[in-house]
Amino acid sequence: MVAAVSATVMLFATACGADVEDDATAPAGQAVTVDNCREPLTVPGRPSRVVVNDTGITEIMFALGLADTLAGYTTYAGKERDIASSPWRADFERTRSLGDAFTREAIQSADPDFVFAGWNYGFKKSTGVTPDWIRSLGATPYQLTEACRQPGSTERGIVAPLDALYEDLANIGEIFGVQNRATSLISEYKAEVRKANATAPTEDRRARVFLFDSADPTPFTSGRFAAPEQIITEAGGSNIFGDLEDSWTSTSWEAAAQRNPQVILIVDYGAGPANTVAAKIRQLQTHPLMSGTDAVREGRFLALPYAALVEGPRNPAAITKVAQYLRSVGH
């Protein structure tokens, strides 16, 4: 078996928030209005009991130096590797875990005044955890911009993925009175992206890249509005499903094989032996359609942590990692 090149150890998409001078804290009673999912969102005062869902969202708060505002976070089974590889591991360890499910009971147990999640990043009508329900608790719901629903649709994504990250950093910075820190992080991330892009393979040598999250039974991948789209393109590759007007979405094995990827980027997460990176590679190698693609035949697999591939502060470092890999395999 050809082993994947793994970069699951410490993707340092900068943890330097602690090195940036804190802004003056916004007065507790001062209302702040920001644009969230193209709608005005007014927060009545600086939140002090925040509940967040998912590792990428939690790391946004940590990168901004806001660990002390968290009343708790939820993740999913299999995200332990995210925490182990996180530049903010110490913050995870000192913050209350509310378990592996973003449920009404878990949220209510923390008595939040602000809840940061996104559609399919915690908010789901099927569970009853919606922004409207959060409001019924007297808390403010903030929606992850990567997961904003398109008008009149359940499909997600309204801006380019990195713009979504920068927008959320700026908004959370304003809401919590840490605008200077947010501005500094955005500038640093943009500089890292420019540096990676400058050394990425040229336009005529762009590798076709397939983002493989999982398959149950059809493959789950990244469309135009999920973070991997821009991680791949800024690194000098071409996302084979970048034409899908959605965020994270399902496709077919037939479509993936027909587009013949030259590199496969694997999301490293998932509970149990069937969901390891090695298991995902075996699945691709034994699949009757995927086994004949250039990427599988040449053994071109790169695995990155889940938190590096959903919207979050590890995205710029992920671009650097993917650009390095594409250069190493001649693309």
Side-chain angles (χ1 to χ4, degrees):
M1 175 185 298
V2 180
V5 175
S6 179
T8 58
V9 293
M10 290 292 187
L11 259 179
F12 278 98
T14 216
C16 72
D19 298 329
V20 180
E21 184 177 350
D22 287 340
D23 304 320
T25 300
Q30 181 175 309
V32 173
T33 299
V34 297
D35 183 85
N36 183 217
C37 291
R38 293 181 175 159
E39 296 286 343
L41 177 71
T42 298
V43 185
R46 187 178 193 268
S48 60
R49 293 192 57 79
V50 181
V51 169
V52 293
N53 179 67
D54 218 28
T55 45
I57 293 173
T58 308
E59 288 182 347
I60 289 174
M61 299 296 290
F62 291 159
L64 287 167
L66 296 171
D68 290 343
T69 70
L70 294 189
Y73 70 90
T74 60
T75 56
Y76 299 108
K79 301 295 171 57
E80 296 85 0
R81 294 195 291 282
D82 262 2
I83 295 172
S85 66
S86 178
W88 301 277
R89 182 175 179 177
D91 285 326
F92 274 110
E93 290 173 349
R94 67 188 181 93
T95 302
R96 179 186 176 192
S97 170
L98 300 174
D100 292 339
F102 194 61
T103 63
R104 286 185 169 191
E105 293 75 18
I107 296 165
Q108 286 177 305
S109 73
D111 188 25
D113 57 7
F114 188 88
V115 176
F116 185 2
W119 288 104
N120 286 16
Y121 288 87
F123 292 143
K124 291 183 179 180
K125 287 190 175 181
S126 61
T127 63
V129 179
T130 64
D132 284 342
W133 180 77
I134 298 298
R135 292 185 189 97
S136 77
L137 300 178
T140 301
Y142 184 91
Q143 300 180 52
L144 183 75
T145 299
E146 183 190 49
C148 289
R149 286 181 163 180
Q150 297 168 16
S153 172
T154 59
E155 293 179 338
R156 298 172 297 155
I158 58 174
V159 297
L162 286 175
D163 289 343
L165 171 62
Y166 302 149
E167 183 173 320
D168 286 333
L169 287 168
N171 283 347
I172 298 298
E174 185 172 355
I175 290 166
F176 287 85
V178 290
Q179 295 97 322
N180 289 346
R181 187 171 300 202
T183 299
S184 177
L185 287 177
I186 292 168
S187 296
E188 182 176 343
Y189 295 160
K190 287 182 176 180
E192 180 163 7
V193 172
R194 285 194 300 270
K195 183 178 179 181
N197 187 259
T199 60
T202 56
E203 187 71 30
D204 62 338
R205 295 182 61 81
R206 284 183 173 268
R208 298 182 302 275
V209 182
F210 171 43
L211 186 285
F212 182 42
D213 175 283
S214 56
D216 187 26
T218 57
F220 198 59
T221 190
S222 166
R224 173 184 171 191
F225 292 109
E229 158 69 13
Q230 210 162 1
I231 289 171
I232 292 166
T233 57
E234 294 291 344
S238 175
N239 175 16
I240 65 170
F241 287 110
D243 59 330
L244 298 181
E245 295 289 317
D246 203 348
S247 176
W248 294 86
T249 187
S250 295
T251 185
S252 69
W253 287 118
E254 291 79 6
Q258 185 177 38
R259 298 181 187 206
N260 190 22
Q262 296 165 302
V263 171
I264 296 177
L265 179 57
I266 297 174
V267 186
D268 182 12
Y269 80 104
N275 293 300
T276 64
V277 171
K280 291 177 183 180
I281 291 173
R282 285 195 298 272
Q283 184 178 18
L284 293 164
Q285 290 173 325
T286 58
H287 192 278
L289 297 176
M290 294 304 296
S291 60
T293 61
D294 289 351
V296 176
R297 287 189 296 103
E298 297 294 330
R300 290 174 175 167
F301 305 107
L302 173 65
L304 294 182
Y306 170 89
L309 293 167
V310 294
E311 184 197 318
R314 294 201 225 185
N315 293 165
I319 294 170
T320 297
K321 229 15 133 170
V322 174
Q324 291 171 342
Y325 182 77
L326 294 181
R327 288 198 306 274
S328 75
V329 297
H331 289 283

